[in-house]
């Protein structure tokens, strides 16, 4: 595939037909087999484009004019702002988004010669908007006014915004109320270049079932003048806000939250339920952001595990124990492991809160070492559940898992590329995918793809 020269030149204008959509939601055109990636174009469209960058094996171009539009295109008013940042697939009809996610996995399987594995239609959400239970929006001064908004992808272009499309609509309302109060109290917005100003971000979380709202004011300085008064006013304006916190982040960094959090009004945490289990959520707790789709995802994982109440289960990468506790309701014993200390503390608390401490055990540490340790100790799980971060599993974790000879391995993945790689590894060690892969859309309007897969021991 190596080329000496690209068939197009930088700044060249040409007409192309879009053939595919990349995993980053860019249209792909082929010029004499050379791929050109073009933002805001869709398969089947014909476009006039201008080349902006060429490398040996591929190039980028920008859209000048759409000559033929796809029937799957949605014209949205805010497209220019939304499409590249908050909603990279916002210009694609939802049905087509679901197909895109299914095809992405199918294409990867084909490349890995695993295309005997089937992929089901993506389990979607209706409506595919307003689902996020957590928002963290930057605050800046624009034309002399304090504004909330977002940064365009890969840039520091700040766009003031009032409707965020994929967040719980009540969160958007609370954000606007908080913005107006901050304006009234003349709280200076953060200035990134000069490292001046006070308020950097507003974080809002809302329990989907409990309806409890938490507001976190992220400030550069410890001193927030009239902080308590502002907090009281937020609660008076939005009675569902049961917790107002201040988080201090003095550092010049992209990381949103700092070390120190203090209570301004109400309580420290909110609660919410997930499949009727109760969880307590703090400013920094990890909690799945799409509550109803998470319930579906977990239920599909539990279905695949075929729990009868007799099984021993390992839940690697357990976070705050959400899957572990869901499984503990239907299993004899669940072991969980997680690398973040606060998350393991939360998992243990959550087990107690839900009267599931008797058949769960949570360990702090690296999943790889704990799997090896459990295997050496002679623990015989019937089901191993893994839900790793984007980089997927390590070979040594796969090795330890297989040595324990579970009947079933259930894999939840947020990255199809590493999933497909790992499925190959399991296959060569005697574990086969025994039910079609199910994509569950946890993040409508974005390119994220989440899947659940069941593997079983071949010689069963
Ligand atoms: N199953 C949980 C969390 C999944 S996210 C849920 O559904 O909510 C993946 C988790 O893996 C994160 O909590 C992350 O902190 C944890 N993690 C990352 N690397 C790890 C490692 N090497 N060992 C154990 N846990 C790890």
């Amino acid at each position: 595939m190596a080329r000496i020269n690209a068939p197009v030149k930088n700044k060249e204008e040409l007409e192309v037909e879009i053939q595919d959509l990349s995993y980053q939601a860019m249209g792909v055109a082929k010029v004499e087999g050379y791929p050109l990636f073009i933002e805001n174009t869709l398969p089947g469209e014909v476009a006039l484009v201008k080349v902006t960058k060429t490398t040996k094996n591929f190039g980028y171009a920008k859209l000048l004019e759409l000559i033929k539009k796809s029937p799957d295109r949605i014209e949205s008013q805010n497209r220019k702002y939304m499409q590249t940042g908050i909603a990279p697939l916002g210009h694609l009809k939802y049905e087509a988004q679901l197909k895109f996610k299914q095809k992405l996995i199918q294409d990867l399987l084909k490349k890995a010669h695993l295309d005997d594995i089937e992929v089901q239609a993506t389990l979607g959400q209706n409506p595919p908007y307003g689902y996020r239970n957590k928002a963290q929006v930057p605050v800046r001064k624009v034309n002399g006014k304090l504004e909330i908004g977002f940064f365009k992808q890969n840039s520091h272009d700040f766009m003031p915004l009032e409707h965020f499309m994929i967040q719980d609509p009540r969160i958007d309302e609370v954000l606007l109320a908080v913005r107006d109060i901050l304006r009234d109290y003349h709280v200076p917005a953060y200035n990134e270049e000069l490292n001046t100003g006070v308020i950097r971000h507003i974080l809002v979380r809302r329990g989907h079932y409990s309806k409890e709202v938490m507001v976190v004011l992220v400030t550069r300085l410890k001193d927030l003048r009239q902080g308590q008064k502002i907090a009281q006013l937020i609660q008076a304006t939005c009675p569902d806000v049961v917790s107002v916190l201040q988080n201090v982040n003095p550092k010049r960094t992209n990381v949103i939250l700092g070390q120190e959090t203090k209570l301004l009004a109400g309580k420290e945490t909110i609660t919410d339920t997930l499949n009727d289990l109760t969880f307590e959520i703090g400013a920094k707790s990890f909690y799945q952001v799409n509550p109803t789709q998470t319930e579906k995802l977990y239920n599909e994982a539990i279905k695949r595990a075929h729990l009868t109440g007799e099984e021993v289960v390992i839940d690697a990468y357990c976070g705050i124990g959400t899957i572990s506790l869901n499984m503990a309701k239907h299993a004899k014993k669940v072991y969980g492991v997680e690398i973040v200390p606060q998350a393991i503390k939360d998992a243990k608390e959550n087990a107690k809160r839900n009267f599931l401490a008797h058949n769960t055990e949570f360990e702090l540490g690296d999943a790889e070492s704990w799997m090896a340790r459990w295997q050496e100790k002679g623990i015989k799980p019937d089901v191993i559940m893994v839900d790793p971060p984007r980089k997927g599993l390590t070979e040594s974790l796969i090795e330890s898992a297989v040595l324990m000879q579970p009947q079933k391995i259930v894999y939840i993945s947020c990255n199809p590329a590493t999933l497909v790689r790992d499925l190959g590894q399991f296959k060569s060690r005697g574990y086969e995918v025994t039910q079609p892969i199910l994509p569950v859309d946890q993040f409508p309007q974005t390119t994220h793809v989440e899947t659940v897969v069941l593997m079983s021991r071949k010689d069963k």
Side-chain angles (χ1 to χ4, degrees):
M1 282 278 282
R3 278 180 176 276
I4 311 296
N5 283 314
V8 291
K9 284 202 292 289
N10 206 6
K11 303 210 168 94
E12 184 179 333
E13 290 184 16
L14 69 161
E15 198 181 300
V16 292
E17 185 175 342
I18 310 302
Q19 293 173 6
D20 205 355
L21 196 58
S22 80
Y23 72 97
Q24 290 166 313
M26 291 220 200
V28 190
K30 296 265 173 79
V31 182
E32 297 166 32
Y34 176 88
L36 267 184
F37 292 94
I38 309 143
E39 215 171 71
N40 189 22
T41 58
L42 294 172
E45 293 189 327
V46 177
L48 182 65
V49 303
K50 184 173 179 174
V51 178
T52 54
K53 188 181 173 178
T54 58
T55 70
K56 222 160 81 179
N57 296 316
F58 60 90
Y60 292 96
K62 73 169 187 206
L63 175 66
L64 297 177
E65 190 195 337
L66 267 183
I67 293 160
K68 187 182 144 207
K69 280 186 191 174
S70 162
D72 289 335
R73 174 177 286 275
I74 291 182
E75 307 283 357
S76 87
Q77 308 142 333
N78 274 336
R79 191 204 56 72
K80 200 172 108 207
Y81 306 129
M82 305 292 250
Q83 189 210 316
T84 55
I86 292 173
L89 287 179
H91 57 317
L92 187 61
K93 277 190 187 154
Y94 191 53
E95 278 308 306
Q97 289 184 25
L98 296 176
K99 287 213 175 95
F100 161 74
K101 294 187 181 188
Q102 180 189 23
K103 179 171 178 289
L104 212 115
I105 308 162
Q106 287 167 332
D107 288 351
L108 286 164
L109 287 168
K110 204 182 241 171
K111 255 198 202 154
H113 307 289
L114 291 170
D115 37 345
D116 52 318
I117 302 175
E118 278 178 58
V119 184
Q120 268 175 270
T122 310
L123 198 56
Q125 178 162 38
N126 186 18
Y129 306 102
Y131 57 83
R132 278 189 71 99
N133 60 9
K134 174 182 164 184
Q136 326 185 72
V137 301
V139 179
R140 295 291 182 271
K141 190 160 137 181
V142 181
N143 298 329
K145 251 188 168 173
L146 182 144
E147 298 279 4
I148 56 173
F150 82 113
F151 296 107
K152 283 190 82 178
Q153 209 169 30
N154 307 321
S155 87
H156 267 248
D157 291 348
F158 178 82
M159 304 279 173
L161 212 62
E162 298 203 326
H163 302 290
F164 290 79
M165 188 176 183
I166 59 173
Q167 292 164 192
D168 180 331
R170 178 61 188 154
I171 290 185
D172 284 6
E173 288 171 13
V174 172
L175 281 169
L176 290 180
V178 174
R179 179 199 68 181
D180 292 347
I181 291 166
L182 294 172
R183 280 179 180 171
D184 287 349
Y185 276 74
H186 303 289
V187 180
Y190 181 56
N191 181 312
E192 213 171 354
E193 290 86 57
L194 305 173
N195 199 31
T196 58
V198 176
I199 182 105
R200 298 173 65 128
H201 277 84
I202 305 168
L203 184 152
V204 181
R205 309 187 87 145
R206 180 170 191 253
H208 179 77
Y209 293 103
S210 70
K211 315 276 184 237
E212 289 186 339
V213 178
M214 166 185 283
V215 172
V216 186
L217 303 172
V218 185
T219 59
R220 183 178 67 88
L221 303 168
K222 247 188 196 172
D223 183 29
L224 173 63
R225 286 226 311 260
Q226 296 189 290
Q228 242 116 28
K229 209 145 180 212
I230 289 170
Q232 282 161 13
L233 205 53
I234 291 172
Q235 285 196 301
T237 316
C238 308
D240 49 346
V241 174
V242 298
S243 165
V244 186
L245 302 158
Q246 180 190 353
N247 174 275
V248 187
N249 187 358
K251 292 206 185 124
R252 286 186 113 146
T253 163
N254 286 337
V255 179
I256 293 175
L257 293 176
Q259 289 290 324
E260 190 188 339
T261 305
K262 55 182 186 185
L263 186 66
L264 294 178
K267 47 182 194 164
E268 300 266 358
T269 55
I270 57 171
T271 54
D272 201 19
T273 55
L274 197 75
N275 283 335
D276 296 328
L277 292 165
T278 306
F279 294 92
E280 200 161 315
I281 307 155
K284 287 188 172 179
S285 303
F286 177 86
Y287 193 69
Q288 295 276 353
V289 297
N290 187 336
T292 54
Q293 287 298 98
T294 297
E295 289 183 327
K296 285 188 206 167
L297 177 74
Y298 288 179
N299 288 339
E300 292 294 336
I302 291 165
K303 234 195 268 170
R304 280 161 181 73
H306 273 290
L307 301 177
T308 63
E310 292 302 312
E311 292 78 10
V312 173
V313 180
I314 287 180
D315 178 16
Y317 309 92
C318 69
I320 61 166
T322 38
I323 300 180
S324 319
L325 297 179
N326 267 283
M327 292 203 158
K329 281 201 290 187
H330 311 282
K332 188 161 95 189
K333 171 101 197 201
V334 179
Y335 296 88
V337 56
E338 159 64 45
I339 205 158
V340 173
Q342 185 59 44
I344 277 296
K345 239 177 109 196
D346 290 347
K348 287 180 182 165
E349 284 298 317
N350 288 327
K352 277 192 219 146
R353 185 170 295 120
N354 291 288
F355 310 104
L356 289 164
H358 62 284
N359 70 337
T360 52
E361 228 174 280
F362 290 101
E363 307 290 358
L364 172 63
D366 181 27
E368 195 177 297
S369 3
W370 271 99
M371 290 288 256
R373 203 180 303 183
W374 281 324
Q375 188 252 321
E376 279 159 21
K377 266 181 154 180
I379 288 177
K380 295 248 168 286
D382 302 282
V383 178
I384 293 182
M385 168 78 231
V386 292
D387 182 9
R390 291 188 60 77
K391 63 176 190 251
L393 304 175
T394 60
E395 231 181 299
S396 107
L397 184 141
I398 293 174
E399 192 64 45
S400 310
V402 167
L403 281 172
M404 285 189 267
Q405 302 188 329
Q407 289 304 332
K408 295 189 173 72
I409 297 173
V410 182
Y411 193 144
I412 293 184
S413 155
C414 57
N415 182 354
T418 53
L419 170 73
V420 168
R421 179 199 68 198
D422 294 344
L423 292 183
Q425 292 275 347
F426 278 113
K427 187 178 176 181
S428 65
R429 291 173 170 83
Y431 280 82
E432 296 249 45
V433 174
T434 39
Q435 246 184 52
I437 296 180
L438 177 68
V440 180
D441 197 12
Q442 294 278 82
F443 304 98
Q445 316 304 330
T446 80
T447 53
H448 292 287
V449 184
E450 192 102 5
T451 52
V452 52
V453 188
L454 169 68
M455 286 173 274
S456 308
R457 266 184 80 190
K458 242 194 301 191
D459 55 352
K460 193 173 67 141

